[in-house]
Amino acid sequence: MKERKDRYRAALQRTGDVAARSSKIITLNSRYVRMTIEVDPDLQRDLTRWASLPVSALVLAGATVLRTLADTAAAVPRSVGGAGHTGPTP
């Protein structure tokens, strides 16, 4: 039981250290609910580190698809002056 109290007190002290950093605090009020959201300043760095690999892979795949489409479009012969038109004549 004493160990649990010590952990709880240590967590409360860490919470004070987190509040000392420059975090963003948003308070939302309504008639029935009051909610306070504290955003950790390290969140942006964590999200960037987490999302950088999937985003770069997506950009690489998109560039490859566009390059392939451009090469395919360049290889298709185009008719000049409508000479390749095979529809019925009026």
Side-chain angles (χ1 to χ4, degrees):
M1 186 71 167
K2 184 177 182 328
E3 184 178 338
R4 185 185 301 172
K5 285 182 182 178
D6 291 340
R7 285 185 196 164
Y8 179 73
R9 288 183 182 141
L12 287 176
Q13 289 174 354
R14 282 194 304 266
T15 304
D17 294 341
V18 170
R21 294 188 294 179
S22 62
S23 60
K24 295 180 181 179
I25 298 175
I26 301 167
T27 303
L28 305 172
N29 290 320
S30 75
R31 184 174 176 182
Y32 301 106
V33 177
R34 180 177 180 200
M35 184 182 338
T36 302
I37 302 170
E38 182 176 355
V39 180
D40 187 14
D42 296 332
L43 179 66
Q44 182 179 2
R45 184 182 64 214
D46 293 342
L47 285 177
T48 303
R49 182 177 34 200
W50 176 78
S52 64
L53 186 60
V55 169
S56 63
L58 185 63
V59 168
L60 180 63
T64 303
V65 168
L66 288 176
R67 190 177 315 114
T68 303
L69 288 174
D71 292 345
T72 303
V76 173
R78 296 183 183 161
S79 61
V80 178
H85 186 269
T86 59
T89 56

